[in-house]
Amino acid sequence: MQWLRLIGRVKFSFVLVAAGLGCAAHAWEPTKPVEFVVPAGTGGGADQMARFIQGVVAKNKLSPQPIIVVNKSGGAGAEGFLDVKADKGNAHKIVITLSNLFTTPLATGVPFNWRDLTPVSMLALDQFVLWVNADAPYKTTKDYLAAVKAQPDKAFKMGGTGSKQEDQIITVLLEKTLGKKLIYIPLKGGGDVAVQLVGKHIDSTVNNPIEAESHWRSGALRPLCVFDKERLPYKAKITATQSWSDVPPCGAAGLPVEYLMLRGIFMPPGVSAAQTKYYVDLFNKVRALPEWQEFMQKGAFKQTAMSGNDYFEWLGRNEQLHRELMKEAGFIAK
């Protein structure tokens, strides 16, 4: 009987080992460098987030392979999206998205839709802030609105990233609220937008917080309000006297315009569930880092994260929201 029990134990041990090997066989991880596509220019919010992730993944040894950031901004991001769409089954490529995920196909008719890709994770939602040069005479949103209203149409220049994208959508909403036309100046990316405002070549911008934070810190720019219904929660001082939480919501200052932008991750079509899970897990690890919390505070992000069906449903709702906003603005491709 003893030898029977011994054989039984050996068989049971073999089953456990085999099961463990089976689980390992189903796991996936990259075997070559991962291309991280940014469908926008250098220096903007998406580019900064991608390069931050590239750095912390390497620093904390979260991936067996390096992440390589590649900017493909042509055609309002269409270059990047079409590249990822065409690379079916390539699990060594990911793309960070902004709202041009919705606006670019709607505005240009380019043959692309977010459903052509594989949704991975929402990392956060990005805010928009009304910025002016620190030397401008208007110290508050009320001052700015009064100045715009006092001038004829197209007296003020609003700089923004691209045409018929997020910045211009917000500009159109602002125009409708004020009953005044602005001159919209499309620029390559958020970094360029901030530089143009610092140089006083434009009168205002609606840049993301992280795109202008360093210029606010240096004293070159001034935030007037945030396009959200509530104040930002971050109380650490950016300047000697102000933090992000000191920037009032635009609605409370007489400008009832709200807009939040996606910062999310997608993969090409045709990848496996195990490959998708690898990146979901990777970005969960990134978001657990103290460096991520510091980055969120620096860029005043709304820390909303999701994956799976919740993320898929959110994307569907926001595609429809952008269709309505762009139809109202007259930006839908004919």
Side-chain angles (χ1 to χ4, degrees):
M1 292 296 295
Q2 186 172 359
W3 66 271
L4 287 173
R5 287 196 295 271
L6 179 60
I7 290 174
R9 285 197 297 270
V10 170
K11 285 185 176 180
F12 181 68
S13 298
F14 177 79
V15 169
L16 289 178
V17 171
L21 288 174
C23 290
H26 285 292
W28 180 89
E29 61 181 22
T31 56
K32 62 181 181 179
V34 174
E35 183 178 342
F36 198 174
V37 176
V38 178
T42 57
D47 181 66
Q48 289 191 53
M49 182 174 279
R51 294 182 189 278
F52 169 80
I53 290 169
Q54 176 189 39
V56 295
V57 167
K59 174 187 172 184
N60 293 279
K61 298 179 172 60
L62 300 182
S63 171
Q65 294 290 332
I67 293 175
I68 310 298
V69 175
V70 180
N71 295 81
K72 297 184 179 181
S73 61
E79 175 191 5
F81 291 130
L82 291 174
D83 173 75
V84 179
K85 174 185 174 181
D87 211 354
K88 184 176 181 180
N90 182 4
H92 292 86
K93 179 175 286 189
I94 57 177
V95 59
I96 188 168
T97 62
L98 42 158
S99 293
N100 64 354
L101 177 73
F102 310 118
T103 59
T104 294
L106 288 169
T108 65
V110 66
F112 165 77
N113 182 276
W114 66 267
R115 292 175 178 82
D116 296 329
L117 306 182
T118 303
V120 177
S121 296
M122 175 194 288
L123 300 180
L125 293 173
D126 209 346
Q127 303 278 2
F128 284 81
V129 171
L130 178 61
W131 297 92
V132 296
N133 191 285
D135 293 334
Y138 15 89
K139 310 296 184 185
T140 65
T141 306
K142 185 177 179 180
D143 294 340
Y144 173 83
L145 298 180
V148 174
K149 288 179 179 179
Q151 296 294 322
D153 280 341
K154 298 188 175 181
F156 272 65
K157 296 177 181 177
M158 176 72 83
T161 299
S163 297
K164 300 181 180 179
Q165 296 182 55
E166 305 90 352
D167 295 26
Q168 193 170 10
I169 289 173
I170 296 172
T171 300
V172 170
L173 294 174
L174 191 153
E175 288 176 330
K176 289 181 179 294
T177 300
L178 292 176
K180 285 285 184 178
K181 290 289 186 182
L182 305 177
I183 300 173
Y184 180 77
I185 308 294
L187 298 160
K188 188 174 181 179
D192 293 336
V193 173
V195 168
Q196 291 299 307
L197 185 57
V198 170
K200 302 180 182 179
H201 305 297
I202 50 181
D203 300 300
S204 57
T205 73
V206 291
N207 248 357
N208 300 125
I210 200 168
E211 295 171 335
E213 181 266 349
S214 63
H215 301 292
W216 181 27
R217 190 182 295 276
S218 73
L221 298 184
R222 177 187 300 124
L224 296 182
C225 65
V226 58
F227 292 96
D228 199 1
K229 61 184 177 183
E230 56 194 16
R231 285 181 182 268
L232 296 163
Y234 304 108
K235 298 184 181 299
K237 297 297 183 186
I238 303 298
T239 69
T241 59
Q242 286 190 302
S243 68
W244 287 118
S245 65
D246 293 316
V247 181
C250 292
L255 184 58
V257 176
E258 298 175 15
Y259 188 88
L260 289 165
M261 182 170 67
L262 171 66
R263 298 294 184 194
I265 302 295
F266 285 74
M267 295 173 70
V271 295
S272 70
Q275 291 166 336
T276 305
K277 185 179 185 302
Y278 169 82
Y279 289 104
V280 171
D281 293 344
L282 173 64
F283 288 110
N284 284 341
K285 292 173 186 175
V286 168
R287 289 190 301 101
L289 295 171
E291 295 102 310
W292 179 259
Q293 296 306 314
E294 293 169 7
F295 184 77
M296 289 290 98
Q297 177 167 310
K298 178 182 178 182
F301 291 92
K302 178 160 282 192
Q303 297 193 52
T304 304
M306 61 182 70
S307 58
N309 193 58
D310 288 343
Y311 186 29
F312 190 90
E313 291 183 353
W314 184 94
L315 290 164
R317 291 194 302 272
N318 276 265
E319 178 186 30
Q320 181 58 29
L321 171 63
H322 281 84
R323 183 176 288 108
E324 293 168 2
L325 288 172
M326 294 188 68
K327 183 177 180 180
E328 182 180 353
F331 290 166
I332 301 288
K334 302 297 184 183

